[in-house]
Amino acid sequence: MSSLQDWLSRLEQLHPTEIELGLERVSSVAATLGAQKPAPTVITVAGTNGKGSCVATMEALLCAAGHSVGAYSSPHLLRFNERVRINGVEVSDLELVRAFEAVETARGEISLTYFEFSTLAALWLYQRAGVEFALLEVGLGGRLDAVNLVDADLAIITSVAIDHEDWLGSDREVIGREKAGVLRPGAPFVCADKNPPQSVLSAAEKQANSSYFIGRDFSVTQSEGEEKYQFGELQLTIPPISLPRPSIAAAITALVLLGVLPEEGVESALAKITLPGRCQQLLWHNRNLLLDVGHNPAAAEHLARWLDANPVSGETHALVAVMADKDLIGLFAPLSNQVNHWHPALLPGNDRAAGADALLSGLAGAGVEVTKVDARCPNVADGLQQLLATTGPQDRLLVFGSFFTVAEVLQQMRDEDNGELRG
């Protein structure tokens, strides 16, 4: 197989199930690859929401300080290469193909999931590149996630909320215990959840040699119209970017603890960070688009706060498509006061996506008035075209509900080559 797409197509068929949690198989292959320690310093980031923002913040600050860094995150929006970056740049197709070939040789008869294969490829690439820091975002949970085969030198939990209930349970204590599985004895731990479950507190007490919690040890507060980060005597101004503040604060705290926060230029480095699909503002066809991959109640609450803080003169129209296994009522309810018109949409060809009946039922259960809902439920692409034709420049078009939803819109924009990043 010579192309990246050939490899990705094969990986999708390689394992009998999409997800199989557990470390025995992937750890065995990592040992054969010699990739158990991809960098001298490994930072592992777990959490329900905000993981990607935390990794992106650390990546930007480490690069600004002149350090070499590998960053691994998932899922991707348009290109698989988005998942694996070195010094802020996506690795090439050729590099990924070589990494997949190395993993294929090392695995022998061991079957690996798509995510396990991808994780091992990233670790191999970081080790080969000789990066100083490896930033690893957990895919699902923590304790049994493939990323957790690597012992973290510092662990971060960004948040603990209800999501992926079939795999992690529907109780924050149980979910917190799974996420706290990334902690290691003697390694520091940073928590950005303002109300961590007891399971996380207990794990920190037993495992970490030092623990740092938002609101207790570090904070982000409003002061004279600005947002200020504080950790001990260190105080920084957080620029007006769209990433969640707890994740930014956790990232800065981690680098302070490791002694690698840039001595200057932190605020300017933060101001340049953009993360596709996270409260991402775009101007397209003279319309204000806001793209957000949020797909659980906690993410919707964050999005609602963002909308409150960033009003528009017109109305907010929400184009939403979501997976069927999500808490639809919990996803829609926090936004019921911020959205003027709802446009539920479908993702044809995606077996996991919620159908029209489920979407309409979820909106009704969230207390959204029938008069605010367009019950036609077109596909995402057609729904977007309808909104472009029926709204005005003063309105806001919010696209949210899943990575798949946002990817549909970004792909359409890229195809037309008419998208401009704004803000």
Side-chain angles (χ1 to χ4, degrees):
M1 289 176 289
S2 58
S3 75
L4 175 58
Q5 189 53 54
D6 287 342
W7 271 103
L8 296 178
S9 297
R10 181 166 186 262
L11 298 191
E12 292 174 350
Q13 308 296 325
L14 190 63
H15 197 72
T17 59
E18 180 182 0
I19 298 172
E20 183 178 342
L21 297 177
L23 298 180
E24 183 177 352
R25 290 173 298 102
V26 69
S27 294
S28 175
V29 181
T32 303
L33 278 173
Q36 306 101 313
K37 185 69 171 177
T41 302
V42 174
I43 304 175
T44 299
V45 182
T48 306
N49 297 310
K51 299 188 297 292
S53 298
C54 187
V55 168
T57 301
M58 290 190 289
E59 180 184 24
L61 292 174
L62 286 168
C63 287
H67 295 288
S68 58
V69 55
Y72 178 59
S73 60
S74 64
H76 61 276
L77 283 168
L78 297 180
R79 289 163 40 87
F80 180 89
N81 313 58
E82 298 168 22
R83 297 181 180 227
V84 187
R85 304 183 298 277
I86 295 178
N87 298 331
V89 179
E90 297 173 9
V91 299
S92 68
D93 288 9
L94 179 59
E95 290 173 300
L96 285 168
V97 167
R98 287 175 176 168
F100 287 152
E101 289 172 347
V103 176
E104 178 71 5
T105 299
R107 77 178 182 88
E109 297 299 317
I110 297 175
S111 181
L112 297 170
T113 67
Y114 182 103
F115 183 76
E116 290 169 339
F117 214 106
S118 303
T119 301
L120 289 167
L123 299 181
W124 185 83
L125 285 166
Y126 297 151
Q127 186 180 65
R128 296 262 297 183
V131 298
E132 300 170 75
F133 294 86
L135 312 177
L136 307 180
E137 178 187 334
V138 168
L140 180 64
R143 181 176 62 93
L144 298 175
D145 186 85
V147 162
N148 202 36
L149 74 88
V150 181
D151 289 331
D153 296 291
L154 184 148
I156 299 173
I157 292 180
T158 56
S159 64
V160 180
I162 306 299
D163 199 6
H164 301 293
E165 295 178 56
D166 290 345
W167 294 97
L168 303 179
S170 56
D171 180 276
R172 286 186 78 235
E173 290 294 336
V174 174
I175 294 172
R177 190 173 301 115
E178 290 299 310
K179 296 188 185 302
V182 301
L183 277 65
R184 291 296 190 273
F189 165 57
V190 178
C191 182
D193 192 302
K194 296 179 180 178
N195 183 32
Q198 184 59 45
S199 57
V200 171
L201 298 174
S202 298
E205 184 178 352
K206 294 177 182 178
Q207 293 272 19
N209 72 343
S210 54
S211 300
Y212 302 86
F213 291 86
I214 194 168
R216 187 192 76 179
D217 303 295
F218 62 97
S219 63
V220 177
T221 57
Q222 288 280 349
S223 176
E224 299 178 354
E226 294 182 322
E227 287 184 298
K228 298 289 186 179
Y229 164 87
Q230 186 159 2
F231 180 30
E233 296 182 356
L234 175 65
Q235 189 174 90
L236 298 167
T237 299
I238 305 297
I241 57 176
S242 61
L243 303 187
R245 299 306 185 260
S247 292
I248 294 174
I252 296 172
T253 302
L255 300 190
V256 171
L257 293 173
L258 295 173
V260 291
L261 187 73
E263 294 183 2
E264 57 184 24
V266 172
E267 293 166 10
S268 61
L270 291 175
K272 297 175 184 176
I273 300 175
T274 59
L275 194 58
R278 280 75 165 186
C279 286
Q280 181 184 13
Q281 298 181 82
L282 296 172
L283 184 62
W284 194 47
H285 290 300
N286 200 30
R287 297 293 185 273
N288 298 303
L289 266 68
L290 179 66
L291 311 182
D292 195 86
V293 297
H295 51 266
N296 55 50
E301 290 168 5
H302 170 75
L303 179 56
R305 290 191 294 270
W306 194 96
L307 291 170
D308 272 340
N310 297 272
V312 292
S313 59
E315 296 183 310
T316 294
H317 293 254
L319 178 66
V320 57
V322 63
M323 299 301 100
D325 61 345
K326 301 303 178 183
D327 177 1
L328 300 188
I329 294 176
L331 179 63
F332 300 148
L335 296 161
S336 59
N337 293 328
Q338 286 78 16
V339 174
N340 303 105
H341 303 281
W342 291 84
H343 306 269
L346 308 179
L347 289 165
N350 189 321
D351 295 337
R352 293 179 53 205
D357 290 344
L359 291 167
L360 296 174
S361 177
L363 287 166
V368 177
E369 299 176 14
V370 174
T371 55
K372 293 184 176 182
V373 180
D374 182 348
R376 290 175 292 179
C377 295
N379 62 51
V380 169
D382 289 344
L384 180 60
Q385 291 303 316
Q386 291 172 14
L387 286 175
L388 292 173
T390 58
T391 59
Q394 75 282 0
D395 296 322
R396 173 161 50 203
L397 310 186
L398 167 63
V399 179
F400 83 105
S402 76
F403 278 84
F404 298 105
T405 310
V406 171
E408 284 267 349
V409 172
L410 287 175
Q411 184 64 56
Q412 187 171 347
M413 296 178 71
R414 190 173 76 168
D415 290 344
E416 293 190 21
D417 195 27
N418 195 33
E420 297 179 4
L421 184 63
R422 177 174 61 81

